[in-house]
């Protein structure tokens, strides 16, 4: 008699690197019963960096989707199970030992996510139970009850650890959550965990921080230790009073990452911003000539931002110390070997800052092509996470919104950001006479820990001088 071998393999939310710990499932492209092949895209997810399509690394038939679209899932959590092997389309349950063996094979696949290479560090994974301990498996997949396998008592697993928090000597929390608690001055031992298996989440830490900051409600009776914390959590969970017509927008994905990055940057790096007004009439004439002549190539987009970018790159070449980062761990200044020029871009998902790799080595025609591709990709929402990693200095073009200037916040890990304001026709003293000229305002914010006033001023003055007389791109380049 022939016995058909069948097993289930689970595909987990891949580790996308750069400290990201979760992603939101935007769209499922498959459903239970569909056949999938190695490399087929099964869903699109949004990380804190960008939207990414996830290909599955094996063949089979979709057994179950553990989470619906719109759910935010931790990295390392199974999101889909696939029946593999002979008789894959049948509904027979898979042995736990076989599933575990198949699961172990998944990390050997070197590329599981478009835009990322293999992970160099060891894979972080909870200790695996043996096949004999099969009843403990429900605690391994903290899926919502509606999407959990019917035979698994999903609601039971997360309850037990929370009921006895005093048993654990060290609170359970992921490294980013521990860092958040440290930054906020919260003792994790005093935080009530709400995550699966008694794990403390970021929301738990924020709730504890808000409870600590909120004024006491002056209860009449003396407080017993557990009571104030419990009451505080309930109070924090209540919605903020809102007026008629108010709309609540969930903060997640790119918007959430931007908010966290801006707060971290504003309260970590001591910002200094300098301003200068400059006559850019000659630059605007050059832009028009390059557009009309097509010298940079057919179909190549030419804009004032292109010459601003080239001016900044020229200034960085003259003062490479501005292209640097502060290393808090080693207390060192790291001067970057190449200039990865970031361009702040507003997208439907929020603010992103993709960068042009090694922009300092590109000619003006090459830079024009790279800038055009970057802008088009960002507008289409197709910017990859790799395109947003490793930036060293940034330009934000606030002039496209009719704004004269601003005090831009540094992109984390960079030492300077240049704001390019609107170009306006203003009265200007030119050759001893007041005449109408095209004028813009530039603003340079820099990290005063590693950029002093002299260096920042020289870089900003260089950019202004080049835009005033663009032929300096040749003489200084």
């Amino acid at each position: 008699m022939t016995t058909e071998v069948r097993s289930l393999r689970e595909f987990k939310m891949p580790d996308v690197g750069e400290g990201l710990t979760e992603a939101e499932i935007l769209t499922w492209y498959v459903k239970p019963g569909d056949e999938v092949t190695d490399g087929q895209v099964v869903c699109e997810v949004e990380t804190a960096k960008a939207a990414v399509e996830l290909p599955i690394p094996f063949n089979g038939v979709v057994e179950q989707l553990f989470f619906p679209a719109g759910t935010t899932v931790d990295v390392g959590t199974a999101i889909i199970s696939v029946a593999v092997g002979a008789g894959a389309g049948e509904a027979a349950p898979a042995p736990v030992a076989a599933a575990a063996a198949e699961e172990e094979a998944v990390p050997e696949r070197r590329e599981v996510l478009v835009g990322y290479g293999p992970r160099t560090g060891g894979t972080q994974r909870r200790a695996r139970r043996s096949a004999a301990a099969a009843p403990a498996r429900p605690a391994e997949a903290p899926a919502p009850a509606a999407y959990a396998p019917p035979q698994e008592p999903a609601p039971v697993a997360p309850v037990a650890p929370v009921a006895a928090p005093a048993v654990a000597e060290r609170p359970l929390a992921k490294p980013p959550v521990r860092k958040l608690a440290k930054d906020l001055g919260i003792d994790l031992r005093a935080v009530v965990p709400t995550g699966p298996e008694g794990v403390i989440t970021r929301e738990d830490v924020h709730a504890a921080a808000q409870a600590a900051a909120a004024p006491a409600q002056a209860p009449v009776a003396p407080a017993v230790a557990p009571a104030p914390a419990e009451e505080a959590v309930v109070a924090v969970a209540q919605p903020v009073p809102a007026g008629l017509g108010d709309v609540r927008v969930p903060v997640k994905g790119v918007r959430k990452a931007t908010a966290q990055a801006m707060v971290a940057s504003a309260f970590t790096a001591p910002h200094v911003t300098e301003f200068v007004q400059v006559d850019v009439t000659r630059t605007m004439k050059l832009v028009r000539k390059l557009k009309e002549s097509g010298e940079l190539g057919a179909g190549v987009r030419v804009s004032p931002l292109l010459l601003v970018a080239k001016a900044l790159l020229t200034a960085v070449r003259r003062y490479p110390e501005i292209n640097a980062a502060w290393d808090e761990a080693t207390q060192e200044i790291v001067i970057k070997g190449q200039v990865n020029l970031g361009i702040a871009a507003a997208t439907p998902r929020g603010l992103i800052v993709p960068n042009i790799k090694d922009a300092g080595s590109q000619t003006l025609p090459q830079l024009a092509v790279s800038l055009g591709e970057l802008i088009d990709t960002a507008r289409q929402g197709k910017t990859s996470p790799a395109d947003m990693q490793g930036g060293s200095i940034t330009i934000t073009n606030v002039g496209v919104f009719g704004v004269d200037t601003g005090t831009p916040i540094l992109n984390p890990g960079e030492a300077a950001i240049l704001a390019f304001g609107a170009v306006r026709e203003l009265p200007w003293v030119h050759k001893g006479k007041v005449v109408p000229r095209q004028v813009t305002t530039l603003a340079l914010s820099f990290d005063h820990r590693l950029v002093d006033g002299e260096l920042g001023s020289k870089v900003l003055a260089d950019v202004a001088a080049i835009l005033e007389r663009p032929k300096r791109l040749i003489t200084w380049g």
Side-chain angles (χ1 to χ4, degrees):
M1 181 177 65
T2 302
T3 303
E4 292 185 338
V5 180
R6 175 186 175 278
S7 63
L8 285 180
R9 291 183 67 172
E10 293 179 342
F11 178 49
K12 298 181 177 182
M13 183 69 73
D15 182 355
V16 297
E18 289 293 306
L20 301 179
T21 60
E22 63 185 18
E24 179 189 355
I25 300 174
L26 295 179
T27 307
W28 280 109
Y29 298 132
V30 296
K31 61 183 182 300
D34 287 353
E35 291 189 9
V36 294
T37 57
D38 185 358
Q40 177 180 339
V41 173
V42 295
C43 66
E44 182 182 26
V45 302
E46 182 182 33
T47 69
K49 299 286 186 179
V52 181
E53 292 182 332
L54 298 185
I56 199 161
F58 41 78
N59 303 327
V61 176
V62 176
E63 183 79 7
Q64 187 170 11
L65 308 180
F66 292 125
F67 299 93
T71 305
T72 299
V73 182
D74 287 341
V75 167
T77 302
I79 59 175
I80 181 175
S81 64
V82 174
V84 298
E90 300 174 10
V96 175
E102 294 289 350
E103 183 179 326
E104 288 292 346
V106 175
E108 294 180 5
R109 182 174 177 83
R110 302 302 290 170
E111 295 182 4
V112 297
L113 182 62
V114 177
Y116 292 95
R119 194 181 176 199
T120 56
T123 302
Q124 294 184 353
R125 181 190 301 275
R126 290 195 183 97
R128 187 181 305 283
R129 292 181 172 87
S130 64
R137 180 172 173 79
E140 193 174 317
Y147 279 79
Q151 69 273 21
E152 297 179 0
V156 178
V159 175
V162 180
V167 175
E169 296 181 0
R170 187 167 185 261
L172 297 177
K174 296 180 180 180
V177 177
R178 293 185 183 280
K179 183 178 184 303
L180 174 63
K182 181 180 179 182
D183 294 342
L184 297 177
I186 299 299
D187 185 353
L188 286 176
R189 291 172 296 182
V191 177
V192 178
T194 62
E197 300 182 23
V199 174
I200 296 173
T201 66
R202 284 193 294 272
E203 289 72 17
D204 297 334
V205 174
H206 283 302
Q210 292 179 28
Q217 298 300 318
V220 177
V224 182
E230 186 175 350
E231 291 173 4
V233 172
V234 173
V236 171
Q238 293 178 356
V240 176
L244 184 63
D246 288 359
V247 177
R248 291 179 177 271
V249 180
V251 179
K252 54 187 177 181
V254 174
R255 177 68 63 188
K256 183 176 181 180
T258 300
Q260 293 172 342
M262 293 299 97
V263 170
S265 177
F267 292 98
T268 300
H271 285 56
V272 172
T273 306
E274 295 185 338
F275 308 90
V276 63
Q277 273 194 319
V278 56
D279 177 2
V280 292
T281 305
R282 292 185 178 92
T283 289
M284 298 305 290
K285 287 181 179 178
L286 177 58
V287 169
R288 287 193 296 272
K289 289 180 180 179
L290 290 174
K291 284 181 178 180
E292 294 167 359
S293 66
E295 293 179 39
L296 299 186
V300 174
R301 183 185 292 116
V302 181
S303 68
L305 178 61
L306 171 63
L307 295 185
V308 172
K310 193 61 177 176
L312 178 60
L313 292 170
T314 302
V316 171
R317 184 182 298 113
R318 286 162 58 87
Y319 301 102
E321 297 85 359
I322 196 75
N323 187 52
W326 179 272
D327 191 332
E328 183 65 30
T330 61
Q331 293 292 294
E332 294 176 330
I333 296 173
V334 181
I335 300 176
K336 303 297 183 68
Q338 64 181 28
V339 185
N340 294 338
L341 179 63
I343 303 295
T347 72
R349 289 193 175 97
L351 175 68
I352 63 173
V353 188
N355 61 79
I356 301 171
K357 301 294 188 286
D358 199 15
S361 66
Q362 296 188 5
T363 63
L364 188 62
Q366 291 171 339
L367 185 63
V369 172
S370 297
L371 186 60
E373 291 175 348
L374 179 148
I375 293 173
D376 290 340
T377 303
R379 286 175 176 171
Q380 296 167 11
K382 299 297 183 182
T383 302
S384 70
D387 292 335
M388 292 182 281
Q389 296 172 7
S392 59
I393 194 168
T394 294
I395 296 175
T396 176
N397 184 9
V398 297
V400 295
F401 305 110
V403 175
D404 290 328
T405 189
T407 55
I409 297 177
L410 294 168
N411 201 30
E414 300 179 11
I417 178 172
L418 178 71
F420 173 38
V423 177
R424 303 185 186 280
E425 191 172 62
L426 298 176
W428 196 262
V429 177
H430 178 67
K431 297 181 179 179
K433 297 180 179 179
V434 177
V435 294
R437 303 285 287 181
Q438 291 181 289
V439 178
T440 190
T441 302
L442 304 174
L444 183 73
S445 291
F446 51 86
D447 186 342
H448 216 345
R449 292 176 298 180
L450 62 159
V451 179
D452 57 26
E454 179 185 13
L455 175 59
S457 299
K458 286 181 176 179
V459 170
L460 183 58
D462 265 18
V463 175
I466 292 170
L467 294 178
E468 185 178 16
R469 295 181 179 274
K471 70 177 182 181
R472 290 188 171 115
L473 286 172
I474 301 174
T475 58
W476 291 2

